[in-house]
Each structure stands twice: as structure tokens, then as C-alpha cells.
Amino acid sequence: MRTREQDVEPLINLSEITEVELLILKRMREFTPGEHSSLFHGTGFDFVGLRDWQSGDRFETIDWAQSSLTNFSPLIVREFEQPTTSGVIIAADRSASTRCGMDGVPVAVIIARAIATIGMSAVFFQDSIGLVTFDVGSGRLGAVRPRIGKGQVIHCLEAYAEGRGLQDLEVAGSLSATLIGFSRKTSLVPVVSDFLFEEVDTVLSELVLANNVHDVVVVIADASYAFELPRVSSGWIEAFDVESGRTRLLSRREAQGLQTRVKAWQDDVEQRARHAGLDVLRVGADQTTFDIALLEWVHERRLRRKR
């Protein structure tokens, strides 16, 4: 098991985002305007203000006259908002444990692909996309305000992977109050995490409260593969907890049983979330299975909302 804190490679690259986009177009073709009655409505794009240019912004949105006043450093872009059918706020776990994995695939890759798939599905349906990142250990929250478009999805992915471009988000008393207050309208809120932390019951209770206002979905990133350790003949293994910084000696039997314990833990989280009345989706490292599971969920969710 290894961390990729210093890895400069993106968690998901542009070609993979394009692949996700094509899969969504293929799966959602029955919703294409012209073949069926359109789900989209609104009066067009409304100008809401100016802001500094961010990675992923389209060049046609640059306000060159305003940018000349700042000597083009930074560039200034015009921001528009379109009335949409709904909004999507993705809450993604940036805890240190998500940067660990096996064979060069950290758990954060699964979370990033979930952001890309849910985000590109929102783009297809012209919904706004926002991002809230959280670290249960530190209590730190970051955010990307909701906007529409593929560029926004790329910006959210970069913000999740690198932590740059995130706006500090104050905790408004509790996680549920923060999520409720982040969006002015009822939104779909997928909470994507490995849920490998001690405060699971507290977090689930907060999500139940948020579910009274938003449509909260628990998305569990299966992390059991990251604990499939190579067999050792004998001796003890020193394990390092990236969250707490503590170390512990494990016997060979304990080390070999980690994968089973992690799977049992996540099974228990899934059961508790369902018992609390939350919808749950489980996604793993296998790309084919992942795509089928997540796209079927997106399709089912859209049909439910259409009714």
C-alpha cells in the first residue's frame, strides 16, 4: 500500500473524461432533445457578474475590456447562470486515507471518476455542478460554487485532486447545516467517500438531516482492494496510519485479515445508511463494473425525477 501525495499525475486525465462523456451520451441517448420531449427549460443565460479566470473556463467568456484594466493579470471572465432543472452538489472525501491504494491506484481515483461521471451526467442534462470537499479528521471543508458546463467538471476534478481553487467553507454549526446552506435550491447531493473513519455514525446522522432538504446519496468507494497485502512468511509488520500519524505492529495473521475487515466495515456502513433511509451506491476499482453501476444509477435517478 502506498500514498500518492507527491504524485504529479492527474487522478483522471482528459482522455478518460472524454471516455466518460461518450459513455453517458450512449447510455442517455433516449433523453436527447428531438427524440423525446425535452427535460430542459429556462429563458437562457443570465449575466451574474465578473470574476478571475479559472482553469477550465472557456476563452469566449473572457471580458477583454475588463482584463485590460488589470493588465491581463489576472484575466477577468463574465459569469453567467442558466435556470436549470436542478443542481448537483458532489461532496467528496479528501482525507489522507483516500490517497492510499494498491498498484498505483489510490482510492481517490475511484472518487475522482465518480465526480467525472456524475458531473458529466449533470452537464448532459444542463444541471449546475458544485463541489464540497471534506476531511473528517481535520474538519476542513472546501468548495467550488455551482456552475454549468464541462469546464466546471474539469475545474472540480482539479480542485479535488490538487486542493487548488477551493474556497474555504465555514462549518455552519454542523455538516448537515453546511450542506443545506451551500445551495439555495434543492439539489442532488452524492457523498463520495471510503467511510474509513471512526465518526461514521455522526456523519450518517448529519446526512440524514441534510436529506430532509436535499436528495442525499451515500456513494461508498470500495477500498478493500487497497488492503490486499502480499503474503509474508513470518515476522511482524509495522503499519502506519496516515490519518492519525500513529504506528502499530501487526502480526502476519492480522495483516492478511485487513482486507476482510475493511470489507466488513464498509458492508456495515452500507447497512447503517440504508437503515437510516439513505440511498446507497457502491463503486469499486474495476472500471467496467464501475461504469455499469454508476451509469445505471444516473439513469434510474433521472427516470425517478422525470416522473
Side-chain angles (χ1 to χ4, degrees), residues 55-85:
S55 176
D57 287 335
R58 296 179 179 177
F59 282 100
E60 58 264 30
T61 63
I62 296 174
D63 189 321
W64 295 104
Q66 288 292 328
S67 298
S68 66
L69 299 178
T70 61
N71 200 25
F72 305 101
S73 181
L75 290 170
I76 306 298
V77 299
R78 298 182 299 275
E79 189 163 26
F80 297 89
E81 190 175 72
Q82 182 187 28
T84 62
T85 54

Side-chain angles (χ1 to χ4, degrees), residues 31-254:
F31 290 107
T32 304
E35 295 181 359
H36 296 266
S37 58
S38 177
L39 295 173
F40 315 140
H41 58 79
T43 56
F45 292 88
D46 300 322
F47 176 72
V48 295
L50 301 172
R51 60 171 176 78
D52 293 351
W53 184 87
Q54 296 175 346
S55 176
D57 287 335
R58 296 179 179 177
F59 282 100
E60 58 264 30
T61 63
I62 296 174
D63 189 321
W64 295 104
Q66 288 292 328
S67 298
S68 66
L69 299 178
T70 61
N71 200 25
F72 305 101
S73 181
L75 290 170
I76 306 298
V77 299
R78 298 182 299 275
E79 189 163 26
F80 297 89
E81 190 175 72
Q82 182 187 28
T84 62
T85 54
S86 62
V88 178
I89 306 296
I90 305 171
D93 189 353
R94 287 197 83 244
S95 302
S97 65
T98 65
R99 305 298 157 139
C100 300
M102 185 67 71
D103 297 329
V105 182
V107 175
V109 166
I110 300 176
I111 297 176
R113 192 167 181 89
I115 294 172
T117 305
I118 297 170
M120 293 308 299
S121 299
V123 170
F124 182 86
F125 292 108
Q126 298 180 9
D127 293 336
S128 61
I129 313 107
L131 177 71
V132 173
T133 63
F134 63 92
D135 182 339
V136 174
S138 68
R140 212 176 321 166
L141 295 176
V144 174
R145 289 291 170 183
R147 291 169 53 210
I148 64 171
K150 182 177 178 180
Q152 172 73 347
V153 178
I154 294 172
H155 176 46
C156 288
L157 285 167
E158 291 176 345
Y160 173 74
E162 303 169 15
R164 293 185 296 188
L166 285 169
Q167 170 190 343
D168 288 334
L169 195 62
E170 283 190 35
V171 179
S174 64
L175 176 62
S176 58
T178 304
L179 289 175
I180 290 170
F182 182 70
S183 178
R184 292 172 294 179
K185 59 184 178 182
T186 300
S187 302
L188 175 65
V189 183
V191 181
V192 194
S193 171
D194 57 13
F195 292 91
L196 296 182
F197 42 79
E198 295 178 356
E199 303 86 352
V200 168
D201 285 336
T202 301
V203 171
L204 290 179
S205 298
E206 293 290 342
L207 296 182
V208 169
L209 292 175
N211 195 44
N212 291 325
V213 176
H214 296 301
D215 184 7
V216 177
V217 182
V218 172
V219 182
I220 302 175
D222 191 344
S224 60
Y225 78 96
F227 294 85
E228 188 178 359
L229 304 180
R231 292 191 174 277
V232 292
S233 57
S234 62
W236 295 81
I237 299 171
E238 184 178 28
F240 175 74
D241 187 338
V242 295
E243 299 283 359
S244 65
R246 297 192 299 263
T247 59
R248 178 185 168 186
L249 285 177
L250 301 177
S251 68
R252 180 181 63 174
R253 178 175 294 180
E254 286 178 312

